[in-house]
Amino acid sequence: HVQLVESGGGSVEVGGSLRLSCAASGYTYSSYCMGWFRQAPGKEREGVAAIDSDGSTSYADAVKGRFTISQDKTEDTALLQMKATLYLQMNNLEPEDTAVYYCAADLVCDDDPNFWGQGTQVTVS
């Protein structure tokens, strides 16, 4: 059972920085894609950034050059389970970045992952 728990949201001034973290546990495959999504009030959910199991990354055009996704992974060989911490470093934040940010994971990178965190609010003003 995959569990994802975000932290690190908050309020920041325009041009400021925040780092989001997502603690992931409970999955047995090393080939997981993990990513960040966000949803602003009155808008549809959108993908922000993703990192595949081979380390390749992708970003939404709106955040390229400002956001960086990364992760640390460890394997518990006794339990045959993976643990990971996913990060999203957000620099030069803009009011348009205000949203609830969600960590997500699945076996492949797509727009509708199976596993989601509870979300963390980011407010830029």
Side-chain angles (χ1 to χ4, degrees), residues 37-46 95-102 121-122:
F37 291 74
R38 66 185 182 186
Q39 187 165 22
K43 294 187 176 181
E44 292 187 355
R45 185 183 70 199
E46 62 176 351
E96 294 74 21
D97 296 317
T98 295
V100 178
Y101 284 71
Y102 297 91
Q121 177 70 46
V122 171

Side-chain angles (χ1 to χ4, degrees), residues 1-2 8 16 19 24-25 28 30 35 37 45 48 58 61 68 74 76 78 84 92 96 98 100-101 115 120:
H1 179 63
V2 178
R19 188 174 82 156
S25 62
T28 57
S30 61
F37 291 74
R45 185 183 70 199
V48 175
S58 60
D61 288 342
T68 303
T74 59
D76 186 328
N92 195 19
E96 294 74 21
T98 295
V100 178
Y101 284 71
F115 303 104
T120 185

Side-chain angles (χ1 to χ4, degrees), residues 65-113:
R66 300 188 298 122
F67 290 12
T68 303
I69 189 171
S70 61
Q71 67 176 354
D72 295 323
K73 289 198 297 187
T74 59
E75 182 175 0
D76 186 328
T77 55
L79 297 176
L80 297 179
Q81 288 190 349
M82 301 292 297
K83 288 186 178 182
T85 303
L86 182 71
Y87 302 100
L88 185 67
Q89 177 66 45
M90 304 185 294
N91 298 328
N92 195 19
L93 283 160
E94 304 169 352
E96 294 74 21
D97 296 317
T98 295
V100 178
Y101 284 71
Y102 297 91
C103 170
D106 208 335
L107 288 175
V108 296
C109 291
D110 61 24
D111 293 334
D112 191 20

